[in-house]
Amino acid sequence: MTWLILAAAIVVEVAGTICLKLSDGMARTRWVLATVSCYVVAFGLVALVLARDVPVGVVYGIWVACGVALTAILGRLLFRDPLTFRMVIGIALIMAGVVAIEVGSHSA
C-alpha cells in the first residue's frame, strides 16, 4: 500500500506540473488552482509515505526520478518539448541513482 500511495503522489505531482505549464505563467486562474491543488495533494501523499517509516532519501529519490521521467515524456507528447537521446540518458542515470539509494538503504 505504501508504494501505491507513493505512485499516486508521483502521478498527482506530475499532473500539477502539467497544470503549471497550462497556467501560462500563472495567468489562467483555473490552471493555477489545479496546480496548487495537485501539489497540496501530492505533498500530503508523500507525508503519508514518510509516516510509514520509509527513509526520506528513498521516498524523495523515487518521487523526483519518476516525476522527472514522466514529466519529460508528457512534455514531449503534450507540448512537443525536446526529449533528446542525451536527455533520456540523463533520466536513466537519475533512475540508476535512485536504485542505488534504494539498494543501499537495505544494506545498512
Side-chain angles (χ1 to χ4, degrees):
M1 188 64 165
T2 300
W3 301 113
L4 288 175
I5 296 169
L6 183 56
I10 293 163
V11 169
V12 174
E13 187 270 332
V14 170
T17 302
I18 297 302
C19 291
L20 185 60
K21 171 78 172 177
L22 293 171
S23 77
D24 194 27
M26 303 196 78
R28 296 181 174 165
T29 305
R30 73 177 183 181
W31 292 112
V32 172
L33 294 174
T35 299
V36 172
S37 298
C38 286
Y39 286 152
V40 167
V41 170
F43 276 96
L45 291 170
V46 168
L48 289 175
V49 173
L50 291 172
R52 294 171 180 239
D53 292 326
V54 180
V56 69
V58 172
V59 172
Y60 191 69
I62 293 169
W63 189 38
V64 169
C66 292
V68 166
L70 286 174
T71 301
I73 291 165
L74 287 174
R76 176 69 180 148
L77 295 173
L78 298 174
F79 308 117
R80 301 191 191 271
D81 287 349
L83 185 58
T84 65
F85 179 72
R86 285 184 181 172
M87 293 168 76
V88 171
I89 295 298
I91 292 168
L93 289 171
I94 292 168
M95 300 292 261
V98 169
V99 169
I101 290 170
E102 171 67 18
V103 170
S105 75
H106 292 294
S107 63

